[in-house]
Every structure is written in structure tokens, then in C-alpha cells.
Amino acid sequence: MTNRTLPTDTLDQTLAVLAEDFDLLGDWEQRIEYVIELGKGLAPLDEADRIEANKVPGCAAQVWLATTQDEGRLWFAADSDSALSKGNIALLLKLYSGRTAAEIVAFDARAALDRLGLPSALTRQRANGLNSMVGRIREAALAVQ
């Protein structure tokens, strides 16, 4: 698994920083470009994690999400064959990786994504894929609570 740096901010604080970054970007093209840049920063996913069980259903592209649990925290690693999907999952990992299951379950992901304006900037299929990614993260958290 990749980056194991514990988050120092709460989920709400991390979201606030992301929202500030998004607000500084003018139009949707710049915001989408920012998301794609986030994806370029993802650590490579181990080949062993590119398995059917880690595929996120409902995405326009192939998306893999691997989960491990360590000391009460969930850690996520992911990849996609699409630059935008890879960016979307990178954004979610920025929010969720290293959090406790309780933190993840208590966080209102839909409101967070709306605050960033992401669903409205994406096609319906991509927005559904983003929701599927969030759903998979929440399922992982619910499974260990």
C-alpha cells in the first residue's frame, strides 16, 4: 500500500482546503484539469491489486480500489485507465485514506462533492462513477465498524 501519512486535518478541514483550491480556479475546464493533475500524483497501484474484486462497478472507465486496515484506520490505493477517473479517485483518497471507519461513515460525501461542484461538472455517467467510488469507500468502512 502507498502513502501511510496520517491525516492531520479533519475531513471537514481537508474538504475546506479542496473547496478553496476549486474556488480559486475559474471555470470548469480549469477544475477538471486540476482533478486530472491530482490523478497524476497517485502512486502506482500494485499489479496484485488490479483484480476483479477491487474493480469499482458503474464507472465509465476501469477503476480499481484496494483497501487495507491498519490500527483502526482504512487505507486506500487506486488507479484507473482514464485520466479523469484517476483524478476523481485521487481526490477521494485525499479525503478518505487514513481515516477511521466512523469518520468515513459520518462524512456526508454527497454534500462534499456538491460543495466542490464536481457532479455538475461531469457527465452523468462520470458522476455515477464518482458516486460508485464513494459507495465502495463507504462499504469498506461499514464492513469494519
Side-chain angles (χ1 to χ4, degrees):
M1 224 11 82
T2 54
N3 182 3
R4 288 288 180 107
T5 305
L6 280 175
T8 54
D9 291 340
T10 67
L11 263 164
D12 286 329
Q13 289 168 328
T14 301
L15 174 62
V17 169
L18 284 168
E20 203 172 284
D21 290 346
F22 271 72
D23 288 345
L24 291 174
L25 301 168
D27 58 23
W28 290 116
E29 284 180 23
Q30 288 179 310
R31 291 177 185 202
I32 294 298
E33 193 57 43
Y34 175 76
V35 169
I36 290 170
E37 284 300 314
L38 284 176
K40 290 178 182 176
L42 267 186
L45 185 66
D46 290 336
E47 279 303 314
D49 288 327
R50 291 175 182 269
I51 57 173
E52 196 63 34
N54 287 340
K55 275 194 177 177
V56 179
C59 295
Q62 291 190 92
V63 177
W64 296 271
L65 179 66
T67 308
T68 57
Q69 185 184 1
D70 183 34
E71 296 183 20
R73 294 184 177 273
L74 292 168
W75 298 94
F76 301 98
D79 199 3
S80 176
D81 60 1
S82 153
L84 183 54
S85 293
K86 190 172 186 166
N88 284 335
I89 197 73
L91 181 106
L92 294 176
L93 267 54
K94 211 172 183 41
L95 283 168
Y96 290 114
S97 199
R99 306 284 179 184
T100 65
E103 285 177 290
I104 292 169
V105 171
F107 188 67
D108 187 346
R110 185 173 306 268
L113 295 175
D114 285 344
R115 181 170 173 195
L116 297 177
L118 264 183
S120 60
L122 301 171
T123 63
R124 173 173 284 161
Q125 190 174 16
R126 294 246 185 236
N128 287 343
L130 184 62
N131 287 329
S132 293
M133 293 175 208
V134 170
R136 184 58 80 85
I137 290 169
R138 288 182 56 80
E139 284 171 17
L142 287 167
V144 299
Q145 267 197 321

